[in-house]
Amino acid sequence: MPFSNSHNLLKTKFSAEDEYPDLSVHNNHMAKVLTLDLYAKLREKKTSSGCTVDDKLPADEEYPDLSAHNNHMAKVLTLELYKKLRNRATASGVTVDDIIQTGVDNPGHPYIMTVGCAAGDEDCYDVFHELFDPVIKDRHGGYGPTDQHKTDLNCDNLQGGDDLDPNYVLSSRVRTGRSIRGFCLPPHCSRGERRAIEKLSVEALASLEGDLSGRYYALKNMTDAEQQQLIDDHFLFDKPVSPLLLASGMARDWPDARGIWHNDNKTFLVWINEEDHLRVISMQKGGNLREVFSRFCTGLTQIETLFKSKGYEFMWNPHLGYILTCPSNLGTGLRAGVHIKLPHLGKHEKFGEILKRLRLQKRGTGGVDTAAVGGVFDVSNADRLGFSEVELVQMVVDGVKLLIEMEKRLEKGQCIEDLMPAQK
């Protein structure tokens, strides 16, 4: 099956004990039978078809039907390209069929262009560049194969951001993802890899001090009280239910080796082994986005230093920046956003055009595909790749200030035509 634990060729680096599934709460016949000894005996066996049964059939017969699909992958993957890529594999065993499965199973929304592919390891972006390069170019506004990404995590380079009107800005948040080099990405990683990532991450995070000092909560070991508290704090992530994530294999072995770490002040949060190896989030109430970004940069830099001290580094290259599972998050992986009250502007016929010109995007406060409630929107940067972290947060700071000025005008029944921004 695509992205299954079985055809990850790097899992042999881990012992049977490391790869044995946690079946302690399972109630099925397999769990009654599969002991560790039996698993150790069977894990290297395979049928005569192995993992390459598709190679025995012509590409024309294996090429997916993409005629009704609306995603970036489907626009790029012709039969000729599929023929060219189908016999390739990365060192860990990721194939083009693994990469495209999420886009094949999820045709997409008629009006929303989804990505339609996901990387199984860092090498995918190189081995299958004929697929990824045009997808990235299409998704990231023309970003080409020879373009160089910019990284800037020096919060001192941000202008302003500490004075967003708290009467309109309810909360501020900055998040990104990070992948640890040497391990497969979540769609393809084995149990042993996932557990090793959790162990490394928990050890590194335990070394944070001062305002960043905190505690780790493993999903499978949470008490009811801890779970409820994390739900109340809006920190908890649960097993993915999105077909996009399920089809790519990210929910395998859930909740094994997944967890949440947060500092004592509940303003700095790390998700482990969700859509990416790490999701790092800085947030707080009010409109001081500068303080949120400063904590984000400090914490992220300290985490990277701690990983390096253990002999590991984050996946990064000069062209794509930080490497993450979904091509949409390449580069910075950064989403800086605010929950902002815009009851008047939110109803204005040009609201969408204004956001587009400011390179911002909106969603409901409940997340992707949710509607705004009470005129409160989640407004954030639309770009990830080709701009530095500081540049993206600056776009949000400057854009939010303008949105608030427009909202104040509309409250008084005044025109906002003279405030219409030029395209950034």
PDB file of all heavy atoms in Angstrom, residues 6 18 26 58 62 69 105 137 158 161 167-168 181 195 222 224 232 259 281 301 331 346 354 360 401-402:
ATOM      1  N   SER A   6       5.744  -0.970   5.550  1.00  0.00           N
ATOM      2  CA  SER A   6       6.451  -2.153   5.074  1.00  0.00           C
ATOM      3  C   SER A   6       7.513  -1.871   4.031  1.00  0.00           C
ATOM      4  O   SER A   6       8.512  -2.561   3.966  1.00  0.00           O
ATOM      5  CB  SER A   6       5.441  -3.166   4.511  1.00  0.00           C
ATOM      6  OG  SER A   6       4.741  -2.603   3.417  1.00  0.00           O
ATOM      7  N   ASP A  18      12.176  -1.804  18.141  1.00  0.00           N
ATOM      8  CA  ASP A  18      11.897  -0.418  17.787  1.00  0.00           C
ATOM      9  C   ASP A  18      10.709  -0.297  16.834  1.00  0.00           C
ATOM     10  O   ASP A  18       9.974   0.696  16.861  1.00  0.00           O
ATOM     11  CB  ASP A  18      13.122   0.225  17.126  1.00  0.00           C
ATOM     12  CG  ASP A  18      14.271   0.405  18.096  1.00  0.00           C
ATOM     13  OD1 ASP A  18      14.007   0.619  19.280  1.00  0.00           O
ATOM     14  OD2 ASP A  18      15.436   0.326  17.649  1.00  0.00           O
ATOM     15  N   HIS A  26      -5.373  -2.610  21.796  1.00  0.00           N
ATOM     16  CA  HIS A  26      -6.083  -3.092  20.617  1.00  0.00           C
ATOM     17  C   HIS A  26      -6.950  -4.317  20.932  1.00  0.00           C
ATOM     18  O   HIS A  26      -6.572  -5.177  21.723  1.00  0.00           O
ATOM     19  CB  HIS A  26      -5.095  -3.443  19.502  1.00  0.00           C
ATOM     20  CG  HIS A  26      -4.453  -2.235  18.882  1.00  0.00           C
ATOM     21  ND1 HIS A  26      -3.726  -1.324  19.601  1.00  0.00           N
ATOM     22  CD2 HIS A  26      -4.455  -1.791  17.588  1.00  0.00           C
ATOM     23  CE1 HIS A  26      -3.287  -0.363  18.803  1.00  0.00           C
ATOM     24  NE2 HIS A  26      -3.720  -0.629  17.573  1.00  0.00           N
ATOM     25  N   PRO A  58       2.210  -2.356 -17.869  1.00  0.00           N
ATOM     26  CA  PRO A  58       2.603  -1.162 -18.628  1.00  0.00           C
ATOM     27  C   PRO A  58       2.166   0.117 -17.914  1.00  0.00           C
ATOM     28  O   PRO A  58       1.159   0.141 -17.195  1.00  0.00           O
ATOM     29  CB  PRO A  58       1.855  -1.330 -19.949  1.00  0.00           C
ATOM     30  CG  PRO A  58       1.532  -2.782 -20.032  1.00  0.00           C
ATOM     31  CD  PRO A  58       1.332  -3.244 -18.630  1.00  0.00           C
ATOM     32  N   GLU A  62      -1.255   1.587 -15.497  1.00  0.00           N
ATOM     33  CA  GLU A  62      -1.103   2.036 -14.107  1.00  0.00           C
ATOM     34  C   GLU A  62      -1.325   3.537 -13.941  1.00  0.00           C
ATOM     35  O   GLU A  62      -1.510   4.017 -12.826  1.00  0.00           O
ATOM     36  CB  GLU A  62       0.298   1.679 -13.592  1.00  0.00           C
ATOM     37  CG  GLU A  62       0.508   0.201 -13.367  1.00  0.00           C
ATOM     38  CD  GLU A  62      -0.351  -0.344 -12.236  1.00  0.00           C
ATOM     39  OE1 GLU A  62      -0.764   0.428 -11.358  1.00  0.00           O
ATOM     40  OE2 GLU A  62      -0.609  -1.556 -12.223  1.00  0.00           O
ATOM     41  N   HIS A  69      -9.784  15.839 -11.940  1.00  0.00           N
ATOM     42  CA  HIS A  69      -9.025  16.355 -10.802  1.00  0.00           C
ATOM     43  C   HIS A  69      -8.699  17.848 -10.947  1.00  0.00           C
ATOM     44  O   HIS A  69      -8.460  18.339 -12.051  1.00  0.00           O
ATOM     45  CB  HIS A  69      -7.728  15.566 -10.627  1.00  0.00           C
ATOM     46  CG  HIS A  69      -7.944  14.188 -10.081  1.00  0.00           C
ATOM     47  ND1 HIS A  69      -8.775  13.277 -10.676  1.00  0.00           N
ATOM     48  CD2 HIS A  69      -7.429  13.569  -8.972  1.00  0.00           C
ATOM     49  CE1 HIS A  69      -8.772  12.152  -9.974  1.00  0.00           C
ATOM     50  NE2 HIS A  69      -7.967  12.304  -8.939  1.00  0.00           N
ATOM     51  N   ASP A 105      -6.429  10.222  -4.769  1.00  0.00           N
ATOM     52  CA  ASP A 105      -7.595   9.882  -3.946  1.00  0.00           C
ATOM     53  C   ASP A 105      -8.481  11.086  -3.651  1.00  0.00           C
ATOM     54  O   ASP A 105      -9.651  10.926  -3.288  1.00  0.00           O
ATOM     55  CB  ASP A 105      -7.157   9.259  -2.625  1.00  0.00           C
ATOM     56  CG  ASP A 105      -6.561   7.868  -2.802  1.00  0.00           C
ATOM     57  OD1 ASP A 105      -6.682   7.321  -3.915  1.00  0.00           O
ATOM     58  OD2 ASP A 105      -5.984   7.338  -1.836  1.00  0.00           O
ATOM     59  N   LYS A 137       6.450  25.753  -8.795  1.00  0.00           N
ATOM     60  CA  LYS A 137       6.351  26.999  -9.570  1.00  0.00           C
ATOM     61  C   LYS A 137       4.913  27.485  -9.625  1.00  0.00           C
ATOM     62  O   LYS A 137       4.626  28.679  -9.462  1.00  0.00           O
ATOM     63  CB  LYS A 137       6.893  26.772 -10.980  1.00  0.00           C
ATOM     64  CG  LYS A 137       6.915  28.032 -11.837  1.00  0.00           C
ATOM     65  CD  LYS A 137       7.551  27.766 -13.191  1.00  0.00           C
ATOM     66  CE  LYS A 137       7.632  29.038 -14.029  1.00  0.00           C
ATOM     67  NZ  LYS A 137       8.272  28.806 -15.345  1.00  0.00           N
ATOM     68  N   LEU A 158      12.551  43.231  12.062  1.00  0.00           N
ATOM     69  CA  LEU A 158      11.120  43.524  11.899  1.00  0.00           C
ATOM     70  C   LEU A 158      10.842  44.955  12.336  1.00  0.00           C
ATOM     71  O   LEU A 158      11.297  45.389  13.395  1.00  0.00           O
ATOM     72  CB  LEU A 158      10.284  42.555  12.735  1.00  0.00           C
ATOM     73  CG  LEU A 158       8.758  42.718  12.649  1.00  0.00           C
ATOM     74  CD1 LEU A 158       8.256  42.337  11.257  1.00  0.00           C
ATOM     75  CD2 LEU A 158       8.074  41.869  13.711  1.00  0.00           C
ATOM     76  N   GLY A 161       5.119  46.228  14.858  1.00  0.00           N
ATOM     77  CA  GLY A 161       4.476  44.962  15.190  1.00  0.00           C
ATOM     78  C   GLY A 161       4.079  44.824  16.639  1.00  0.00           C
ATOM     79  O   GLY A 161       3.422  43.850  17.019  1.00  0.00           O
ATOM     80  N   ASN A 167      -8.096  46.378  20.345  1.00  0.00           N
ATOM     81  CA  ASN A 167      -9.545  46.452  20.218  1.00  0.00           C
ATOM     82  C   ASN A 167     -10.035  45.706  18.980  1.00  0.00           C
ATOM     83  O   ASN A 167     -11.230  45.392  18.869  1.00  0.00           O
ATOM     84  CB  ASN A 167      -9.998  47.917  20.131  1.00  0.00           C
ATOM     85  CG  ASN A 167      -9.783  48.662  21.440  1.00  0.00           C
ATOM     86  OD1 ASN A 167     -10.137  48.158  22.508  1.00  0.00           O
ATOM     87  ND2 ASN A 167      -9.188  49.838  21.360  1.00  0.00           N
ATOM     88  N   TYR A 168      -9.086  45.416  18.081  1.00  0.00           N
ATOM     89  CA  TYR A 168      -9.416  44.695  16.855  1.00  0.00           C
ATOM     90  C   TYR A 168      -8.676  43.360  16.778  1.00  0.00           C
ATOM     91  O   TYR A 168      -9.244  42.353  16.358  1.00  0.00           O
ATOM     92  CB  TYR A 168      -9.089  45.550  15.623  1.00  0.00           C
ATOM     93  CG  TYR A 168      -9.925  46.801  15.548  1.00  0.00           C
ATOM     94  CD1 TYR A 168      -9.527  47.971  16.201  1.00  0.00           C
ATOM     95  CD2 TYR A 168     -11.119  46.809  14.846  1.00  0.00           C
ATOM     96  CE1 TYR A 168     -10.300  49.125  16.140  1.00  0.00           C
ATOM     97  CE2 TYR A 168     -11.910  47.955  14.775  1.00  0.00           C
ATOM     98  CZ  TYR A 168     -11.497  49.106  15.434  1.00  0.00           C
ATOM     99  OH  TYR A 168     -12.275  50.242  15.383  1.00  0.00           O
ATOM    100  N   ARG A 181      16.904  15.954   9.454  1.00  0.00           N
ATOM    101  CA  ARG A 181      17.635  15.260   8.391  1.00  0.00           C
ATOM    102  C   ARG A 181      18.055  13.863   8.849  1.00  0.00           C
ATOM    103  O   ARG A 181      18.461  13.664   9.992  1.00  0.00           O
ATOM    104  CB  ARG A 181      18.861  16.087   7.980  1.00  0.00           C
ATOM    105  CG  ARG A 181      19.681  15.498   6.864  1.00  0.00           C
ATOM    106  CD  ARG A 181      20.557  16.566   6.224  1.00  0.00           C
ATOM    107  NE  ARG A 181      19.782  17.405   5.310  1.00  0.00           N
ATOM    108  CZ  ARG A 181      20.099  18.669   4.990  1.00  0.00           C
ATOM    109  NH1 ARG A 181      21.159  19.242   5.553  1.00  0.00           N
ATOM    110  NH2 ARG A 181      19.358  19.351   4.135  1.00  0.00           N
ATOM    111  N   ARG A 195       9.559   6.974  16.505  1.00  0.00           N
ATOM    112  CA  ARG A 195       9.881   6.930  17.935  1.00  0.00           C
ATOM    113  C   ARG A 195      11.226   7.589  18.224  1.00  0.00           C
ATOM    114  O   ARG A 195      11.396   8.250  19.260  1.00  0.00           O
ATOM    115  CB  ARG A 195       9.874   5.471  18.415  1.00  0.00           C
ATOM    116  CG  ARG A 195       8.475   4.864  18.434  1.00  0.00           C
ATOM    117  CD  ARG A 195       8.497   3.356  18.545  1.00  0.00           C
ATOM    118  NE  ARG A 195       7.143   2.784  18.511  1.00  0.00           N
ATOM    119  CZ  ARG A 195       6.885   1.498  18.407  1.00  0.00           C
ATOM    120  NH1 ARG A 195       7.888   0.617  18.308  1.00  0.00           N
ATOM    121  NH2 ARG A 195       5.635   1.068  18.374  1.00  0.00           N
ATOM    122  N   MET A 222      -1.823  10.399  27.878  1.00  0.00           N
ATOM    123  CA  MET A 222      -2.515  11.509  28.525  1.00  0.00           C
ATOM    124  C   MET A 222      -3.629  11.029  29.447  1.00  0.00           C
ATOM    125  O   MET A 222      -4.371  10.106  29.118  1.00  0.00           O
ATOM    126  CB  MET A 222      -3.158  12.412  27.463  1.00  0.00           C
ATOM    127  CG  MET A 222      -2.241  13.459  26.911  1.00  0.00           C
ATOM    128  SD  MET A 222      -3.188  14.519  25.802  1.00  0.00           S
ATOM    129  CE  MET A 222      -1.825  15.196  24.868  1.00  0.00           C
ATOM    130  N   ASP A 224      -7.276  11.917  31.334  1.00  0.00           N
ATOM    131  CA  ASP A 224      -8.465  12.644  30.883  1.00  0.00           C
ATOM    132  C   ASP A 224      -8.376  14.121  31.251  1.00  0.00           C
ATOM    133  O   ASP A 224      -8.783  14.994  30.470  1.00  0.00           O
ATOM    134  CB  ASP A 224      -9.733  12.034  31.502  1.00  0.00           C
ATOM    135  CG  ASP A 224     -10.036  10.652  30.931  1.00  0.00           C
ATOM    136  OD1 ASP A 224      -9.496  10.317  29.854  1.00  0.00           O
ATOM    137  OD2 ASP A 224     -10.805   9.911  31.583  1.00  0.00           O
ATOM    138  N   ASP A 232      -9.086  22.726  26.231  1.00  0.00           N
ATOM    139  CA  ASP A 232      -9.515  24.052  26.681  1.00  0.00           C
ATOM    140  C   ASP A 232      -8.521  25.132  26.250  1.00  0.00           C
ATOM    141  O   ASP A 232      -8.911  26.276  25.976  1.00  0.00           O
ATOM    142  CB  ASP A 232      -9.668  24.080  28.203  1.00  0.00           C
ATOM    143  CG  ASP A 232     -10.810  23.203  28.695  1.00  0.00           C
ATOM    144  OD1 ASP A 232     -11.680  22.851  27.865  1.00  0.00           O
ATOM    145  OD2 ASP A 232     -10.817  22.853  29.892  1.00  0.00           O
ATOM    146  N   GLY A 259       2.923  13.664  20.171  1.00  0.00           N
ATOM    147  CA  GLY A 259       2.724  14.377  21.414  1.00  0.00           C
ATOM    148  C   GLY A 259       2.832  15.877  21.271  1.00  0.00           C
ATOM    149  O   GLY A 259       3.111  16.412  20.194  1.00  0.00           O
ATOM    150  N   ILE A 281       5.146  26.604  17.375  1.00  0.00           N
ATOM    151  CA  ILE A 281       4.122  27.651  17.418  1.00  0.00           C
ATOM    152  C   ILE A 281       4.391  28.602  18.581  1.00  0.00           C
ATOM    153  O   ILE A 281       4.627  28.170  19.709  1.00  0.00           O
ATOM    154  CB  ILE A 281       2.720  27.033  17.604  1.00  0.00           C
ATOM    155  CG1 ILE A 281       2.442  25.987  16.518  1.00  0.00           C
ATOM    156  CG2 ILE A 281       1.643  28.116  17.596  1.00  0.00           C
ATOM    157  CD1 ILE A 281       1.303  25.040  16.847  1.00  0.00           C
ATOM    158  N   THR A 301      15.589  28.935  17.228  1.00  0.00           N
ATOM    159  CA  THR A 301      17.050  28.921  17.146  1.00  0.00           C
ATOM    160  C   THR A 301      17.652  28.035  18.224  1.00  0.00           C
ATOM    161  O   THR A 301      18.593  27.269  17.973  1.00  0.00           O
ATOM    162  CB  THR A 301      17.600  30.357  17.261  1.00  0.00           C
ATOM    163  OG1 THR A 301      17.049  31.162  16.208  1.00  0.00           O
ATOM    164  CG2 THR A 301      19.122  30.362  17.155  1.00  0.00           C
ATOM    165  N   GLY A 331      10.237  26.403   2.036  1.00  0.00           N
ATOM    166  CA  GLY A 331      10.791  27.743   2.227  1.00  0.00           C
ATOM    167  C   GLY A 331      10.870  28.083   3.691  1.00  0.00           C
ATOM    168  O   GLY A 331      11.742  27.604   4.428  1.00  0.00           O
ATOM    169  N   GLY A 346     -15.166  42.961   6.492  1.00  0.00           N
ATOM    170  CA  GLY A 346     -15.389  41.572   6.096  1.00  0.00           C
ATOM    171  C   GLY A 346     -16.568  41.405   5.154  1.00  0.00           C
ATOM    172  O   GLY A 346     -16.647  40.415   4.426  1.00  0.00           O
ATOM    173  N   ILE A 354      -8.530  43.289  -1.604  1.00  0.00           N
ATOM    174  CA  ILE A 354      -7.597  43.976  -0.699  1.00  0.00           C
ATOM    175  C   ILE A 354      -6.582  42.986  -0.128  1.00  0.00           C
ATOM    176  O   ILE A 354      -5.376  43.239  -0.122  1.00  0.00           O
ATOM    177  CB  ILE A 354      -8.377  44.673   0.446  1.00  0.00           C
ATOM    178  CG1 ILE A 354      -9.214  45.817  -0.103  1.00  0.00           C
ATOM    179  CG2 ILE A 354      -7.416  45.164   1.533  1.00  0.00           C
ATOM    180  CD1 ILE A 354     -10.240  46.357   0.873  1.00  0.00           C
ATOM    181  N   LEU A 360      -2.068  38.610   1.589  1.00  0.00           N
ATOM    182  CA  LEU A 360      -2.613  37.998   2.801  1.00  0.00           C
ATOM    183  C   LEU A 360      -3.743  37.049   2.414  1.00  0.00           C
ATOM    184  O   LEU A 360      -4.256  37.085   1.298  1.00  0.00           O
ATOM    185  CB  LEU A 360      -3.133  39.070   3.763  1.00  0.00           C
ATOM    186  CG  LEU A 360      -2.134  40.102   4.258  1.00  0.00           C
ATOM    187  CD1 LEU A 360      -2.826  41.108   5.180  1.00  0.00           C
ATOM    188  CD2 LEU A 360      -0.955  39.450   4.977  1.00  0.00           C
ATOM    189  N   LYS A 401      -2.410  46.603   9.954  1.00  0.00           N
ATOM    190  CA  LYS A 401      -2.600  48.022  10.288  1.00  0.00           C
ATOM    191  C   LYS A 401      -3.536  48.693   9.291  1.00  0.00           C
ATOM    192  O   LYS A 401      -4.416  49.478   9.678  1.00  0.00           O
ATOM    193  CB  LYS A 401      -1.248  48.738  10.314  1.00  0.00           C
ATOM    194  CG  LYS A 401      -0.398  48.434  11.533  1.00  0.00           C
ATOM    195  CD  LYS A 401       0.875  49.264  11.522  1.00  0.00           C
ATOM    196  CE  LYS A 401       1.694  49.039  12.784  1.00  0.00           C
ATOM    197  NZ  LYS A 401       2.941  49.850  12.799  1.00  0.00           N
ATOM    198  N   LEU A 402      -3.364  48.386   8.011  1.00  0.00           N
ATOM    199  CA  LEU A 402      -4.224  48.973   6.987  1.00  0.00           C
ATOM    200  C   LEU A 402      -5.653  48.455   7.115  1.00  0.00           C
ATOM    201  O   LEU A 402      -6.618  49.228   6.977  1.00  0.00           O
ATOM    202  CB  LEU A 402      -3.672  48.662   5.597  1.00  0.00           C
ATOM    203  CG  LEU A 402      -4.499  49.193   4.420  1.00  0.00           C
ATOM    204  CD1 LEU A 402      -4.618  50.719   4.484  1.00  0.00           C
ATOM    205  CD2 LEU A 402      -3.889  48.766   3.095  1.00  0.00           C
TER     206      LEU A 402
END
